[in-house]
Amino acid sequence: MKAVVNIYLKEGVLDSQGKAVHHALDSLGFGESVADVRIGRQIVLKLNSKTEAEAREETTKMCEELLANTVIEDYDIEISNV
Amino acid sequence: MKAVVNIYLKEGVLDSQGKAVHHALDSLGFGESVADVRIGRQIVLKLNSKTEAEAREETTKMCEELLANTVIEDYDIEISNV
């Protein structure tokens, strides 16, 4: 099983990295095309779980315990059978 | 238009951050469930482009010029109309 976890800052939390990249894109001449930039992490896990439900449960536990900082971050999990 | 850019290390490039997270998951008791961990970035852009083709073209330019380090990283782009 493969789990893809996308972790991103909650709405309203200042994304300073995104602001910096937005500014850099401005300097490179993309100012007119870009309205906003947000930056998150994508974690790809190869799991030994047998079922999709088990994989999702394990991945959720990992997110809560280590991968995401749930005070300021949200996450979503996609499980696929590859 | 919204563009989601996933940037990840090419196959064969050592992912030290992924190794560290794998090790941390081992320590937390997830050792049996996790076979591999890879960590990438997810960049979400709000674009002023009018068409999907234009949005994809602009985003590809941004990736090549700033967002991705194409020597060691690959990227994929998803455009949606939101």
Side-chain angles (χ1 to χ4, degrees):
Chain A
M1 290 279 173
K2 179 182 166 189
V4 177
V5 183
N6 294 315
I7 302 169
Y8 41 88
L9 287 167
K10 290 183 180 177
E11 285 288 321
V13 177
L14 177 73
D15 181 357
S16 51
Q17 204 186 349
K19 286 261 179 298
V21 167
H22 195 169
H23 188 75
L25 287 171
D26 274 354
S27 316
L28 287 170
F30 294 107
E32 278 184 26
S33 13
V34 180
D36 191 37
V37 183
R38 304 279 289 177
I39 299 191
R41 299 195 295 292
Q42 183 174 69
I43 302 179
V44 180
L45 301 158
K46 251 187 236 164
L47 299 169
N48 299 322
S49 317
K50 295 278 180 298
T51 67
E52 195 175 317
E54 191 191 327
R56 186 172 297 275
E57 193 190 335
E58 280 288 285
T59 307
T60 306
K61 266 194 223 160
M62 290 179 218
C63 285
E64 294 291 329
E65 287 186 36
L66 179 78
L67 303 178
N69 175 357
T70 53
V71 177
I72 54 166
E73 292 172 329
D74 282 330
Y75 58 87
D76 54 54
I77 296 170
E78 293 157 38
I79 307 283
S80 57
N81 196 349
V82 276
Chain B
M1 290 281 172
K2 179 182 165 190
V4 177
V5 184
N6 294 315
I7 303 169
Y8 40 88
L9 288 167
K10 289 182 180 178
E11 285 288 320
V13 177
L14 178 72
D15 181 357
S16 51
Q17 203 186 351
K19 286 261 179 298
V21 168
H22 195 168
H23 188 74
L25 287 171
D26 274 353
S27 315
L28 288 170
F30 293 108
E32 279 184 25
S33 12
V34 180
D36 191 36
V37 183
R38 302 281 289 178
I39 298 191
R41 299 195 294 292
Q42 184 175 66
I43 302 180
V44 180
L45 301 158
K46 253 187 234 163
L47 299 170
N48 299 322
S49 318
K50 294 278 180 296
T51 66
E52 194 175 317
E54 193 190 326
R56 186 172 297 276
E57 194 190 333
E58 281 288 285
T59 308
T60 305
K61 267 193 223 159
M62 291 179 218
C63 285
E64 294 291 330
E65 287 186 36
L66 180 77
L67 303 178
N69 175 357
T70 52
V71 178
I72 55 166
E73 292 172 328
D74 281 330
Y75 58 88
D76 54 56
I77 297 170
E78 294 157 38
I79 307 283
S80 57
N81 195 350
V82 277

